[in-house]
Amino acid sequence: MTLQGWFLIIAFTGILLALAKPVGLWLFALYEGRRTPLHLLLGPVERGFYRLSGIDPAQEQGWRRYAMHMLLFNAVLMAFTYAVLRLQGILPGNPQHLAGVGEHLSFNTAISFTANTNWQSYGGESTMSNLSQMLGLTIHNFLSSATGIALAFALFRGFARRETKTVGNFWADVTRITLYLLLPLCVALTLFYIASGVPQTLGGVVDVQTLEGARQSILLGPVASQEAIKMLGTNGGGFFNANSSHPFENPTALTNFIQMLSIFVIGVGLTWTFGKAVGNPRQGWAILAAMMILFLAGTTVTYWAEAVGNPVLHQIGVAGGNMEGKEVRFGIAASALFSVVTTAASCGAVNAMHDSFTALGGLIPLFNMQLGEVVIGGVGAGIYGFLLFAILAVFVAGLMVGRTPEYVGKKIEAREVKLAVLAIAVLPLMILGLTALSSVLEQGLAGPLNKGPHGFSEILYAFTSAVANNGSAFAGLTANTPWYNGLLGVAMWVGRFFVIVPMLAIAGSLAAKKYTPESAGSFPTTGGLWVGLLVGIILVLGGLTFLPSLALGPIADHLAMIRGQLF
């Protein structure tokens, strides 16, 4: 570990915290439906959309109607993307003349981008045309991200409102988030990436002569625009197979830093928005404090593990940290930080190969995802996932003080606790169940490149990434098979929407409740004790649930490495 590496981590954290309130204020304006400076330019576009679609943005919806419209919207988008991928060979915007994508890969990819996962069982530059990248995939990067933020708004309204049956209007939320937040920020980021050397063209392959005199074909395309929204929307799916380790996606240390900030900035801003929505910004700061404790702890362990390196190599005289699978232009610190950021935020973009990390260095990204998108998390999904754990934490606190649990003025009763448990239980049920199945059947065992605990980790990581809607991978797994495309597709759909529906039911239940002011017997939910309880509940639930699988995978891999055995 170096001072330069620690300075990078400290600077990233400081800038991120400084952005929390400004971004949160902008999000709060969209949450309330208030005008922003961009309404003068984009207001007519918003109103035109409502007129064409027959939507009344002032007509609010109960949680059931909100959920039905959200599910229908995403199902139609998934079917549309599936059709685009299957028909790719006869559609325009295909300068490489690529054939249509196979049925099981199209199924997996359509679900992946609909669920904000962006898991890729394919190499982008060799499989997807420019039209498929833009119309089939990039459009999902905007709309799946907007859906996540809209769902967070619905839950905020559940906590903030009193004795009402509505939680907002899904169509108005998605439209405003896309027009006034995601689109303008992505335009600015796209221009920055173009200026930094990221391609943005509808052209295809360019043939060049190398310095050695050989001929080389270089693929170009609309990369910068996809790069902007894949990071900002915590999507993660790259134009190129190497993702953000590719110099055309992430050419410099500055673009790398901006990409990491893009991944976290909306999730951090939403914590402040929540505090503002419930009338107490300290509630938002408490959530952010718990998130940052988990994030910094994970970053420290990962950076340490990668900086220490492989003891087997040290024994044969190869000193230094673990640079396997990392770009020299980023180094160990930036690669370790990026790996924690992308898995803490369910983004899935990578600037280094996680499969080549040390066993403990790879454990932290895996564990981040197993915690259920609570360490900052995906846009929207992170904050509403965290609030599910907050409901369980305040339930435990209520038991300790002998009162009905209360959180931000709402009594947490049996219905909310049961729904929170139902939503949280989806992760271990799918992750552990599908990992176990793939670890004993021939179709599943055909996927891992490595044997022993590292091969098990490759399978465990794949299903963890899918259910947590992350999309990163231990790249040693061959996933483009009917078995993995099918099961991972199901895992991504369940991991996204089987959490959302119980969460919306909680929002509807809370919105109908009266406000209960704090009293002398209430458990305080803004101080250090509350932050510690939140972190403890998250770690205990994650540790008790996933520790056996981690012991079979990365922990066993680490112990074997110490003894000189590699897989």
Side-chain angles (χ1 to χ4, degrees):
M1 294 189 285
T2 64
L3 288 177
Q4 183 182 9
W6 282 113
F7 177 78
L8 172 67
I9 294 168
I10 293 169
F12 173 78
T13 305
I15 294 172
L16 188 69
L17 293 176
L19 291 172
K21 185 173 180 178
V23 175
L25 280 170
W26 189 271
L27 286 162
F28 184 69
L30 300 180
Y31 162 81
E32 287 200 319
R34 293 191 281 108
R35 288 181 62 84
T36 69
L38 290 176
H39 273 71
L40 185 63
L41 175 64
L42 297 175
V45 178
E46 180 188 3
R47 292 189 293 272
F49 171 79
Y50 294 147
R51 283 195 296 269
L52 286 173
S53 57
I55 292 170
D56 179 6
Q59 183 180 4
E60 296 222 339
Q61 302 164 334
W63 78 264
R64 290 183 179 84
R65 193 176 179 197
Y66 199 102
M68 288 177 59
H69 285 215
M70 179 274 301
L71 291 171
L72 178 63
F73 177 62
N74 282 275
V76 170
L77 282 175
M78 184 186 72
F80 171 76
T81 300
Y82 180 84
V84 169
L85 299 181
R86 295 288 286 142
L87 298 173
Q88 174 179 270
I90 61 174
L91 292 174
N94 188 2
Q96 294 177 272
H97 306 291
L98 298 170
V101 182
E103 56 185 14
H104 61 81
L105 181 56
S106 294
F107 168 80
N108 179 279
T109 306
I111 290 181
S112 176
F113 280 77
T114 302
N116 198 239
T117 308
N118 291 28
W119 170 275
Q120 295 175 282
S121 294
Y122 59 89
E125 63 267 50
S126 61
T127 309
M128 300 293 173
S129 68
N130 287 346
L131 182 71
S132 294
Q133 294 273 18
M134 293 185 297
L135 187 62
L137 305 183
T138 302
I139 188 173
H140 274 294
N141 289 349
F142 280 94
L143 296 178
S144 65
S145 304
T147 296
I149 300 172
L151 292 165
F153 284 178
L155 184 56
F156 292 177
R157 295 184 185 110
F159 280 107
R161 292 182 175 181
R162 307 173 187 180
E163 300 180 78
T164 181
K165 296 181 178 179
T166 61
V167 293
N169 184 302
F170 173 74
W171 304 107
D173 285 340
V174 168
T175 301
R176 289 165 183 159
I177 291 162
T178 304
L179 275 181
Y180 303 116
L181 177 70
L182 299 178
L183 191 60
L185 284 177
C186 284
V187 169
L189 285 170
T190 299
L191 293 175
F192 165 75
Y193 289 135
I194 293 172
S196 300
V198 179
Q200 180 68 17
T201 175
L202 295 179
V205 177
V206 175
D207 293 323
V208 299
Q209 185 172 352
T210 67
L211 294 175
E212 293 82 6
R215 301 294 297 178
Q216 182 177 352
S217 296
I218 298 177
L219 180 68
L220 303 175
V223 184
S225 56
Q226 182 168 329
E227 198 69 21
I229 186 58
K230 96 169 189 184
M231 297 301 186
L232 189 69
T234 62
N235 298 283
F239 190 94
F240 298 99
N241 190 39
N243 208 280
S244 284
S245 64
H246 196 292
F248 281 0
E249 287 198 28
N250 192 8
T252 68
L254 180 59
T255 60
N256 190 67
F257 192 83
I258 295 300
Q259 286 186 11
M260 290 190 292
L261 282 177
S262 300
I263 293 170
F264 263 10
V265 68
I266 293 178
V268 167
L270 281 168
T271 62
W272 195 92
T273 304
F274 172 72
K276 182 71 171 176
V278 298
N280 185 355
R282 292 181 63 194
Q283 297 286 354
W285 290 121
I287 290 175
L288 181 57
M291 289 179 170
M292 294 307 295
I293 288 172
L294 293 168
F295 163 67
L296 291 173
T299 301
T300 301
V301 173
T302 304
Y303 184 26
W304 167 81
E306 295 306 297
V308 169
N310 191 327
V312 178
L313 296 180
H314 295 171
Q315 291 170 9
I316 61 174
V318 181
N322 177 35
M323 276 297 294
E324 180 187 353
K326 297 178 178 65
E327 284 294 308
V328 175
R329 68 184 188 276
F330 300 138
I332 291 175
S335 300
L337 178 59
F338 197 110
S339 73
V340 178
V341 168
T342 194
T343 52
S346 75
C347 177
V350 294
N351 75 345
M353 298 301 105
H354 294 181
D355 194 39
S356 297
F357 278 29
T358 62
L360 293 184
L363 182 148
I364 296 302
L366 179 59
F367 191 57
N368 280 341
M369 296 183 290
Q370 290 174 341
L371 292 180
E373 296 193 71
V374 299
V375 189
I376 305 300
V379 286
I383 186 68
Y384 68 65
F386 197 97
L387 289 172
L388 293 176
F389 277 97
I391 288 172
L392 295 186
V394 82
F395 172 70
V396 172
L399 293 178
M400 290 191 295
V401 298
R403 287 174 54 92
T404 301
E406 299 168 6
Y407 187 50
V408 295
K410 294 295 178 73
K411 287 189 179 294
I412 305 299
E413 298 175 299
R415 174 178 170 82
E416 291 79 38
V417 174
K418 290 176 183 177
L419 288 168
V421 170
L422 177 63
I424 292 171
V426 167
L427 267 76
L429 177 65
M430 295 300 294
I431 291 171
L432 299 178
L434 295 178
T435 298
L437 198 62
S438 297
S439 298
V440 297
L441 296 182
E442 182 180 351
Q443 300 95 317
L445 291 172
L449 174 66
N450 302 97
K451 304 299 181 182
H454 196 83
F456 176 78
S457 295
E458 290 174 351
I459 298 174
L460 176 64
Y461 195 106
F463 286 109
T464 300
S465 177
V467 178
N469 298 136
N470 183 269
S472 64
F474 267 19
L477 184 76
T478 300
N480 191 13
T481 64
W483 174 265
Y484 279 107
N485 278 331
L487 282 188
L488 289 169
V490 172
M492 288 183 282
W493 186 266
V494 172
R496 174 74 163 179
F497 298 104
F498 280 51
V499 173
I500 286 172
V501 174
M503 181 276 295
L504 283 174
I506 291 173
S509 177
L510 292 173
K513 292 178 181 285
K514 297 179 180 180
Y515 177 76
T516 304
E518 288 189 11
S519 65
S522 299
F523 187 88
T525 56
T526 56
L529 182 61
W530 169 243
V531 171
L533 179 63
L534 274 175
V535 172
I537 290 291
I538 292 168
L539 290 177
V540 166
L541 288 178
L544 290 177
T545 304
F546 292 106
L547 182 58
S549 64
L550 294 174
L552 291 172
I555 295 175
D557 199 6
H558 175 72
L559 295 175
M561 182 181 67
I562 293 174
R563 295 172 54 193
Q565 183 179 8
L566 300 176
F567 296 94

